[in-house]
Amino acid sequence: MKENPKFIISGGGTGGHIYPAIAIANELKQRFPKAEILFVGASDKMEMQKVPQAGYPIKGLWIAGIQRKLTLQNAMFPLKLVSSLAKSFSIIKSFKPDVVIGTGGFASGAVLKVASMLGIPTVIQEQNSYPGITNKLLGKKAHKICVAYENLERFFPKENMKLTGNPVRQDLLSVNDKKEEAVEYFKLDKSKKTLLVLGGSLGARRINQLIEKELDFLLSKNIQIIWQCGKLYFEEYKRFNDKKDVQVLSFIDRMDLVYASADVVISRSGASSVSELAIVGKPVIFIPSPNVAEDHQTKNAQAIVDKHGAILIKEKELDEQFEVVFEALLNDKGKQESLSENIKKLALPNATKDIVDEIMKLV
């Protein structure tokens, strides 16, 4: 095998696509210190900052997804698609990769399509239980599709699929040993249960509205709350830091410690969040975002609920169900333990290594 293989990795738009891409790059670099790795992303998305921060070069494409309503952006889509295909062709011909890896997002669609046309081996890392339209189209020609959920044969050729899971932060593998450190770090009261509220790096408006509305109810249950409201909403909600037993944060640096501190978690159900919560094995109430392509967050959460590993409340049901469901969970230690055990059974902690094993077979 080559000492210095070349890889193009494409994925972005959200942290859920970028983080797995960087994790895969890091594992490739660990195995092949002389490997050359080039990222390709959308020129106006967060990967243009996050990837260089992780130490990798990136090239941007002029590409965006199709909106659900009539917009100027939709009218520009054909032009952007042609532009991104042409630039992908130029990048691939110049860089000459051995394998091209896509972790989702519209930029990866263009790059993998061109790589496939040029006969270069391609790998898709599909994070969700219901693939988006880009990956469904690309999957027909991909050499390997690394999936995080079972029963995706209706979308991808079975012989090319491998159940690997989603890459997660390696420091999450040992959170059970960090409870004391977490209590100290977040200055928590050991005698109280801790509720962790997660809305993703940007935040989740509906979850923030829920916690604001239910704050007095929650605090009446003698719990403390770590509430990650997201950077878009921090100015609006930081005033609640004045309340006893409430910490409002725009983002969390130490995810390992915040998971270690949590007794119950309320979270969106993006692919990365679901994979992390399976690894850490905490009782969780999923509140999926209904505003994502193919309603994939609801499908991700439902896949865990079907295995008795989590509770799901849809946004439209929050007003009538939240207090009843939360109080029942908080008061039922047996239910908490069974949810923890069942979600942990679905964890795939070696995902990054397993994905890179599949990539190496193609080099």
Side-chain angles (χ1 to χ4, degrees), residues 9-14 16-18 20-21 40-42 47 101-109 112 123-128 132 134-135 138:
I9 304 178
S10 184
T14 67
H17 294 313
I18 297 164
V40 180
E47 56 263 30
I101 303 130
T103 62
F106 288 95
S108 75
L112 266 74
V123 176
I124 291 172
Q125 198 260 317
E126 174 52 63
Q127 294 133 14
N128 293 297
T134 307
N135 278 358
L138 293 169

Side-chain angles (χ1 to χ4, degrees), residues 157-225:
K158 188 175 182 178
E159 64 276 12
N160 294 340
M161 266 197 319
K162 175 81 173 178
L163 181 65
T164 58
N166 288 323
V168 297
R169 301 167 175 87
Q170 293 305 291
D171 58 7
L172 300 185
L173 301 178
S174 56
V175 297
N176 291 338
D177 305 328
K178 298 180 180 178
K179 182 84 173 180
E180 290 293 317
E181 189 184 349
V183 166
E184 181 99 1
Y185 185 86
F186 288 104
K187 299 181 172 52
L188 297 168
D189 182 341
K190 282 185 189 177
S191 68
K192 293 184 177 181
K193 286 193 179 296
T194 302
L195 168 64
L196 170 61
V197 181
L198 298 172
S201 55
L202 297 178
R205 174 169 285 286
R206 187 65 186 90
I207 290 180
N208 289 336
Q209 289 170 339
L210 172 77
I211 301 304
E212 179 180 19
K213 173 175 171 271
E214 301 289 357
L215 203 53
D216 290 337
F217 161 77
L218 292 168
L219 293 173
S220 75
K221 304 301 163 195
N222 193 35
I223 63 172
Q224 54 203 340
I225 302 168

Side-chain angles (χ1 to χ4, degrees), residues 10-267:
S10 184
T14 67
H17 294 313
I18 297 164
Y19 176 74
I22 291 171
I24 290 166
N26 290 343
E27 178 68 20
L28 286 168
K29 203 71 176 163
Q30 194 171 331
R31 295 198 199 184
F32 296 94
K34 294 182 181 174
E36 290 183 55
I37 298 172
L38 175 67
F39 278 73
V40 180
S43 55
D44 59 345
K45 297 293 185 182
M46 61 192 287
E47 56 263 30
M48 301 309 289
Q49 285 77 47
K50 297 293 181 189
V51 169
Q53 284 169 9
Y56 296 101
I58 185 167
K59 292 185 180 289
L61 304 180
W62 186 47
I63 186 68
I66 299 175
Q67 306 301 303
R68 295 183 191 186
K69 51 185 184 288
L70 196 63
T71 63
L72 177 61
Q73 193 164 306
N74 276 355
M76 298 288 281
F77 180 75
L79 185 59
K80 289 185 174 186
L81 181 60
V82 171
S83 163
S84 63
L85 288 168
K87 188 162 183 188
S88 296
F89 183 84
S90 167
I91 290 168
I92 288 171
K93 290 297 269 185
S94 167
F95 189 73
K96 298 183 174 61
D98 294 289
V99 183
V100 175
I101 303 130
T103 62
F106 288 95
S108 75
V111 178
L112 266 74
K113 176 67 179 168
V114 170
S116 181
M117 288 164 57
L118 293 172
I120 296 165
T122 58
V123 176
I124 291 172
Q125 198 260 317
E126 174 52 63
Q127 294 133 14
N128 293 297
S129 62
Y130 193 92
I133 189 167
T134 307
N135 278 358
K136 279 192 277 192
L137 291 170
L138 293 169
K140 294 180 177 122
K141 295 282 180 71
H143 290 69
K144 187 61 67 175
I145 306 109
C146 296
V147 298
Y149 292 86
E150 296 171 338
N151 306 317
L152 296 189
E153 293 84 0
R154 65 193 190 279
F155 305 116
F156 302 123
K158 188 175 182 178
E159 64 276 12
N160 294 340
M161 266 197 319
K162 175 81 173 178
L163 181 65
T164 58
N166 288 323
V168 297
R169 301 167 175 87
Q170 293 305 291
D171 58 7
L172 300 185
L173 301 178
S174 56
V175 297
N176 291 338
D177 305 328
K178 298 180 180 178
K179 182 84 173 180
E180 290 293 317
E181 189 184 349
V183 166
E184 181 99 1
Y185 185 86
F186 288 104
K187 299 181 172 52
L188 297 168
D189 182 341
K190 282 185 189 177
S191 68
K192 293 184 177 181
K193 286 193 179 296
T194 302
L195 168 64
L196 170 61
V197 181
L198 298 172
S201 55
L202 297 178
R205 174 169 285 286
R206 187 65 186 90
I207 290 180
N208 289 336
Q209 289 170 339
L210 172 77
I211 301 304
E212 179 180 19
K213 173 175 171 271
E214 301 289 357
L215 203 53
D216 290 337
F217 161 77
L218 292 168
L219 293 173
S220 75
K221 304 301 163 195
N222 193 35
I223 63 172
Q224 54 203 340
I225 302 168
I226 299 177
W227 174 8
Q228 186 256 322
C229 67
K231 64 181 184 182
L232 292 182
Y233 303 105
F234 184 66
E235 289 303 314
E236 189 176 343
Y237 291 103
K238 67 181 181 183
R239 69 184 189 278
F240 292 109
N241 274 320
D242 295 337
K243 272 192 179 283
K244 186 175 183 295
D245 291 326
V246 178
Q247 295 183 48
V248 183
L249 307 169
S250 63
F251 63 96
I252 297 166
D253 286 324
R254 291 295 304 271
M255 287 304 295
D256 58 331
L257 295 185
V258 86
Y259 281 131
S261 74
D263 294 290
V264 177
V265 181
I266 293 171
S267 176

Side-chain angles (χ1 to χ4, degrees), residues 206 210 213-214 217 312-327:
R206 187 65 186 90
L210 172 77
K213 173 175 171 271
E214 301 289 357
F217 161 77
L312 187 164
I313 310 178
K314 294 184 177 179
E315 282 192 357
K316 63 186 179 188
E317 298 166 346
L318 284 170
D319 289 337
E320 62 181 66
Q321 287 194 16
F322 177 75
E323 289 188 7
V324 175
V325 170
F326 182 82
E327 188 161 18

